[in-house]
Amino acid sequence: MKKIMLGNEAVARGLYEAGCRLVSSYPGTPSTEITEYAAKYDEIYAEWAPNEKVALETAIGASVAGGRSACCMKHVGLNVAADPLFIGSYVGVGGGMLIIVADDPGMHSSQNEQDSRHYAEASKLPMLEPSNSKECIEFVKAGFELSEKFDTPVIIRLCTRISHSQGIVELSERAEHELVDYVKDPTKRVMTPANAKPRHIIVEQRLNNLSEFADNCDLNTIEMNGNKPDIGIITSGTSYNYAREVFGDSASYLKLGMVFPLPENKIKDFVSNCSRIIVIEELDDYIESFCKKIGIIVDGKNLLPKTDEFSQDLLREKLLGIKSESVSVDDKIPGRPPVLCPGCPHRGVFYVFKKLKLYVSGDIGCYTLGAAPPLSSIDTTFCMGASVSSIHGFNKIRPELTGKSVAVIGDSTFMHSGITGLVNLVYNKGQSTLVILDNRITAMTGHQENPSTGRTLKDESTYAVMPEDVALAVGVKKEHIRTVDPLDIAEFEKVLKEELASGEPSVIVCRRPCALLKGVERLPAYHVDADKCKSCRACMTIGCPCISMTDGKAKIDETLCTGCGLCIKLCRFGAINGGNK
Amino acid sequence: MMNETKNIMIVGVGGQGSLLASRIIGNAVLLKGYDVKVSEVHGMSQRGGSVVTYVRYGEKVWSPVICRGEADIIISFELLEAARWLPYLKKGGVIVVNTQKINPMPVITGALEYPDQLVEKIKAKGIKIVAADTLKLAKEAGNERTSNVALIGLMGRYLGFDVETLKESVKISVPAKFLEVNLKAFELGYNYEK
Ligand SMILES: Cc1ncc(C[n+]2csc(CCOP(=O)(O)OP(=O)(O)O)c2C)c(N)n1
Ligand code: SF4
Ligand code: SF4
């Protein structure tokens, strides 16, 4: 059957058809939907783990038990999962195992651009890279075969334009995959130095075998156009699509479906039949470096950038010198950056931070938008969990700022990697304050459950790990664990001031569900009485997208207003009315 | 079959629901037996940012994205977004726009102004622009939330597909429960006279 399918959905379909039994992942754009779609198949057990390291170790355990398993993440997730990644390489597999990682060239929704291909090389694991939805299904299946044939986990590399593009796919039935027998074998699975030494030798041998496979497999395809073509293009993944679009039949192609290990002989063979070679790859000069290492002269990053994503337009301009023509209006078009939603429970918290002029050690989630004007109240955002660990370092150097600084983290991010930072804070006699924004969901990536929500990915109810309980368990004193409603900004400000002054490590949990969450009631909208409005713009300092100045007076867009009531607390003239007031 | 790839962009503000619009066009294209690629936005920009969806179809589609000067049709859910993505329009292309205005944060904070007379300014560049308040059409159809489908209807005449295929696609793409009101919105858009 033919269907149009999102790349991520196709990956999930591939998992289903290949008889995969377990998927454990942590969400992250652009990888999230793979696991969500996988969870829709009754035959696949799928779960959200608290972070990528836990997810990968879970998948490894399932593989040891003999079932086909997978673990999905965004590129930075692989940093978190790097420890089990490297050891998984030594241990090999029982049932086939895939590590599916989605890069984000162009940073559509990420804090950095990172090229995952280096991880394949460093961990000595084969890596496949599909270039469309159809290949997403095929390569997942090929990946499992490869995994079992060579006793190795296999990495599938995606990127935003593959994960989030729909294309036509061909569906087949699920082929159940028998459990592989479990036989106890400490020499293979207990990685002490004595056992790991021989395993390393096996890994190197495996790599040689995989290189030979790469040279002969049909994942790497050559398409020759003409006898001695002028241009030969070596490329992979989404770059292949752009290259094909621009050069059509006027060039020849070596399309690499397997990007590690690279097929040395096939590359040499291809090169010998072309007059000029161009390597087209997003981000790093990974294929190019390999070509140079084996003595092949190529064009690549001398012409194309190492930053941002590619497109047919970019290739046309950089490789053919053709610039696109376009029209535009003469006015300056104001940018439209993402903003916290109307009624977002995070908004008031950042308003208070700004009012108190605090140093704010931020983290990653919807609340990172607290850094944008007019709230502009975040000082740092690094990687998940870094808010609490880095404020500890900051305050050790500047203890006088302990009462003037705060760390802020979301519920999912706290469960992901904030807990260990809090342990460190308590253990090493820190005095910092951590604000946990518990909106009862992982919102940023599109509303995933997490350990504190009380529901699983399979939509069952489960134990809810409450941040207050965690804080108590790791040694924050009970009187310094506070819970507030973030819409009550006066109460939050009071509690925050008390805890900042306490000289003790403290945790304030701001609990209110995300405004977009199903079942969250929308209250009646507010409006501004134009005669009472003194145009002071006080209500506009919270950055609610419903409020704008129209004809010199504040105006609320009543179709968008959720009636959260935050703005009325800022108006000193009683001009904002309606709602539940 | 045509040999050139057709490019349609759907632009708007995150949260406006461009996914349904791209699904309707995607399904119509599939009914016609073309190859198709649709590129969507998920994640950060969905929080009220400027979002764009690309739909490309033809005998064989390679790239999933549309670049400057390539779009045959730009469908915009919001006026400012039509102006922002205008450089992506091909010479001779059409812009179909809902005249609703949503202020972006720089306008809200007073740092910049929302440009006025955008429809006229785009027209003055010699560009074919079809503008309507599709929210009004949606209300007329009986449900505000069918504004997107009314806009698809408005675009319908420029796609070069027969109206039956488009209606069939609306049928496949919306929940049965809301089919009638969506078809009504589609027709109000399709038959809209400027
Ligand atoms: C290592 C890593 N994994 C995943 C992500 C993607 N990601 C960014 S923030 C986030 C979770 C946000 O949830 P939460 O902390 O609850 O905040 P909310 O968005 O709900 O406000 C995720 C999954 C990432 N940036 N880094
Ligand atoms: S999705 Fe929820 S948490 Fe995120 S900005 Fe919107 S209301 Fe806030
Ligand atoms: S009550 Fe005020 S702050 Fe809340 S959503 Fe409505 S306009 Fe925005």
Side-chain angles (χ1 to χ4, degrees), chain A residues 128-203:
Chain A
L128 310 186
E129 187 173 17
S131 71
N132 56 42
S133 295
K134 183 166 168 279
E135 286 184 358
C136 283
I137 298 184
E138 293 164 358
F139 283 27
V140 163
K141 292 178 174 177
F144 277 122
E145 300 286 323
L146 198 64
S147 172
E148 281 153 9
K149 183 168 175 200
F150 290 91
D151 189 9
T152 177
V154 171
I155 307 176
I156 307 273
R157 181 195 189 217
L158 307 166
C159 69
T160 303
R161 294 301 182 189
I162 300 300
S163 285
H164 287 165
S165 291
Q166 299 182 37
I168 295 175
V169 296
E170 195 88 51
L171 305 186
S172 348
E173 294 303 310
R174 175 173 169 102
E176 281 305 336
H177 191 264
E178 290 296 306
L179 285 187
V180 176
D181 285 338
Y182 175 72
V183 182
K184 188 173 172 124
D185 182 1
T187 61
K188 186 173 190 289
R189 302 195 190 96
V190 180
M191 286 302 100
T192 56
N195 290 337
K197 269 194 179 178
R199 287 304 300 176
H200 188 186
I201 295 168
I202 291 171
V203 167

Side-chain angles (χ1 to χ4, degrees), chain A residues 2-4 6 29 33 108-110 131-133 160-162 164-168 223 238 240-242 244-245 309-314 316 324-341 347 365-366 368-369 373-374 443-447 516 537 540 543-550 557 559-560, chain B residues 5 7 12-14 19 22-23 26-27 30 34-52 54 56 60-70 78 80-81 83-84 86-89 91 100-116 118 121-122 125 127 135 139 144:
Chain A
K2 271 194 177 174
K3 235 193 126 183
I4 171 166
L6 197 66
T29 316
E33 301 80 14
H108 296 273
S109 209
S110 301
S131 71
N132 56 42
S133 295
T160 303
R161 294 301 182 189
I162 300 300
H164 287 165
S165 291
Q166 299 182 37
I168 295 175
E223 180 191 336
T238 191
Y240 169 71
N241 295 321
Y242 306 135
R244 204 65 190 60
E245 175 107 16
E309 64 176 346
F310 287 2
S311 64
Q312 58 269 33
D313 197 30
L314 179 106
R316 247 181 247 129
S324 57
E325 278 179 42
S326 64
V327 274
S328 49
V329 291
D330 305 324
D331 296 69
K332 183 169 170 44
I333 306 289
R336 191 184 298 274
V339 288
L340 293 172
C341 304
R347 178 171 282 111
C366 280
T368 307
L369 295 171
M444 162 95 242
T445 39
H447 290 162
L516 298 190
R537 303 183 76 97
M540 305 201 58
C544 175
C546 307
I547 315 174
S548 57
M549 290 306 265
T550 307
D557 182 335
T559 62
L560 297 175
Chain B
T5 301
N7 298 320
V13 178
L19 257 53
S22 66
R23 210 176 308 148
N27 280 328
L30 213 56
Y34 292 118
D35 186 22
V36 58
K37 280 193 178 155
V38 180
S39 196
E40 305 170 348
V41 175
H42 299 252
M44 186 69 129
S45 338
Q46 278 189 310
R47 304 278 164 265
S50 170
V51 293
V52 53
Y54 307 112
R56 309 190 72 213
K60 176 77 196 161
V61 180
W62 294 104
S63 166
V65 303
I66 296 170
C67 299
R68 295 164 79 88
E70 285 186 348
E78 198 272 349
L80 183 64
E81 294 309 308
R84 180 187 322 284
L86 179 62
Y88 282 68
L89 196 71
K91 227 187 201 151
Q100 187 189 0
K101 289 185 186 180
I102 299 176
N103 285 336
M105 201 43 73
V107 171
I108 290 175
T109 60
L112 288 170
E113 273 184 37
Y114 196 112
D116 60 353
L118 280 173
K121 284 173 182 162
I122 292 172
K125 296 278 169 187
I127 287 159
L135 192 64
K139 279 181 190 156
E144 277 188 26

Side-chain angles (χ1 to χ4, degrees), chain A residues 509-520:
Chain A
V509 179
C510 293
R511 180 162 295 123
R512 176 169 278 270
C514 160
L516 298 190
L517 211 54
K518 258 204 198 112
V520 170

Side-chain angles (χ1 to χ4, degrees), chain A residues 474-495:
Chain A
V474 305
V476 181
K477 289 189 190 135
K478 196 162 186 179
E479 61 271 29
H480 295 296
I481 302 170
R482 317 280 295 266
T483 306
V484 297
D485 176 354
L487 283 187
D488 189 348
I489 49 175
E491 173 69 9
F492 172 63
E493 184 176 336
K494 179 178 146 270
V495 168

Side-chain angles (χ1 to χ4, degrees), chain A residues 26-29 52 74 76-77 80 111 346 364-367 384 409-414 416 437 439 441-445 450:
Chain A
Y26 182 74
T29 316
E52 294 86 350
K74 70 183 288 169
V76 283
V80 177
Q111 68 265 39
H346 299 333
I364 308 192
C366 280
Y367 49 91
M384 288 185 77
I409 196 168
D411 49 337
S412 184
T413 304
F414 180 64
H416 177 278
L437 303 177
N439 60 352
I441 203 75
T442 313
M444 162 95 242
T445 39
N450 71 53

Side-chain angles (χ1 to χ4, degrees), chain B residues 11-30:
Chain B
V11 304
V13 178
Q16 278 189 308
S18 55
L19 257 53
L20 175 63
S22 66
R23 210 176 308 148
I24 293 174
I25 301 174
N27 280 328
V29 165
L30 213 56

Side-chain angles (χ1 to χ4, degrees), chain A residues 524-540 542 544 546-558 561 566-579 581:
Chain A
Y526 285 84
H527 62 264
V528 180
D529 289 340
D531 339 330
K532 289 193 193 160
C533 174
K534 301 264 192 280
S535 312
C536 70
R537 303 183 76 97
C539 59
M540 305 201 58
I542 47 167
C544 175
C546 307
I547 315 174
S548 57
M549 290 306 265
T550 307
D551 305 326
K553 303 279 182 181
K555 184 164 186 281
I556 292 176
D557 182 335
E558 293 182 43
C561 172
L566 201 60
C567 55
I568 63 165
K569 293 167 187 153
L570 305 176
C571 180
R572 285 175 289 132
F573 308 105
I576 305 178
N577 289 296
K581 215 168 99 171

